[in-house]
Amino acid sequence: MKIFVAGGTGVLGRASLKALVEAGHQVRATARGDEKAEVVRGLGAEPVQVDLYDPKEVRQAVAGSEALLRLTTKIPPIAKMRSRGAWAETNLLRTEGACILVDSAIAEGVKVYVHDSITFVYADGRSQWITEDSPTDDGKSEILRSALDGEKEAVRFPESGGRGIVLRFGGFYGAESNLTTDMISMMKRRLLVQPGSGSHYVSSIYIPDTGRAVLASLNLPSGVYNVVDENPLSFKDYLQTLADSVHVPSPFRFPGALGKVTFGD
């Protein structure tokens, strides 16, 4: 397929470009600046310079594509995650940016639209399994609300006759993840804390698997899909796997770890 990727140089974008190119697809991807353009070329795709908030430029960039993948985010470092302002661009990319992409895809007759989202939009399921049909809850958070609002763009896409697919990803982990490296760095400096008992569950996903999931989504019917590891971890066990991966001593060595975080293929 001829595929246009919006957000080709982020963690998810790079993993996806690798998987798409290796599968034989013809891929073009956004890249801001010469350095990021070289990253895209190095992954076997064609870099495209485009203002994602300019409808005319976006439509020109999308023209001729059979699939459009919206993988655009700008997640702040862990030290700034509590700042509302640090999420402003990500919120805008999820909503206004997604709207422009979908309008362009519809106008150009694109057949498949894939939208990157997150599993954190679900209401607390406690110890119950959460599925794609489970209720969502934005928790009065602008960050989660923008994620849910952005998903509506994929929902309206099938009205044009194409397929709109939402991929709700768990938390990324792996050597390519800034969040993972930030957490390990904080552990080493005794700055990462476990709030409460750590008994709540988190769903995560190994970064190379995210790219394979994006590749597989090209053949899916319209709908929402969770993309996570098969077995969720309690937050306590999640921290334990990170601690084990770098041999961090007590007090971060919690009992009952379910496995190790691996950083290789």
Side-chain angles (χ1 to χ4, degrees), residues 65-250:
S65 301
E66 298 167 84
L68 169 58
L69 281 51
R70 190 213 73 89
L71 311 179
T72 50
T73 54
K74 190 174 181 180
I75 305 300
I78 193 170
K80 296 183 178 180
M81 282 190 173
R82 293 178 62 85
S83 168
R84 290 180 59 188
W87 290 90
E89 186 169 356
T90 288
N91 293 341
L92 201 60
L93 287 167
R94 286 172 172 168
T95 52
E96 182 180 329
C99 180
I100 292 171
L101 287 168
V102 167
D103 285 344
S104 299
I106 292 173
E108 292 299 325
V110 175
K111 299 301 182 184
V112 182
Y113 173 72
V114 178
H115 185 94
D116 160 36
S117 191
I118 51 177
T119 55
F120 311 125
V121 296
Y122 288 109
D124 185 1
R126 299 189 181 278
S127 62
Q128 300 298 310
W129 282 100
I130 289 176
T131 72
E132 288 83 352
D133 296 321
S134 298
T136 58
D137 179 12
D138 65 18
K140 297 181 180 180
S141 162
E142 184 180 1
I143 300 167
L144 298 182
R145 186 165 57 253
S146 70
L148 289 169
D149 287 345
E151 290 184 3
K152 296 175 184 177
E153 299 301 327
V155 172
R156 74 179 174 95
F157 184 76
E159 297 173 1
S160 67
R163 288 181 287 125
I165 297 151
V166 174
L167 300 180
R168 287 178 178 163
F169 288 96
F172 294 171
Y173 68 89
E176 309 93 327
S177 169
N178 290 335
L179 178 59
T180 299
T181 55
D182 284 350
M183 290 180 71
I184 289 174
S185 175
M186 292 178 73
M187 278 185 174
K188 289 180 175 179
R189 291 181 290 157
R190 300 287 199 275
L191 296 177
L192 186 65
V193 298
Q194 173 191 294
S197 67
S199 61
H200 60 286
Y201 285 90
V202 295
S203 290
S204 54
I205 181 71
Y206 183 44
I207 290 171
D209 289 338
T210 65
R212 290 188 276 270
V214 169
L215 172 63
S217 73
L218 296 174
N219 297 313
L220 293 175
S222 295
V224 175
Y225 299 86
N226 293 333
V227 184
V228 296
D229 288 339
E230 291 180 346
N231 296 307
L233 294 171
S234 69
F235 187 66
K236 177 175 70 174
D237 288 332
Y238 182 74
L239 290 182
Q240 175 67 68
T241 60
L242 288 177
D244 286 347
S245 73
V246 289
H247 309 293
V248 177
S250 180

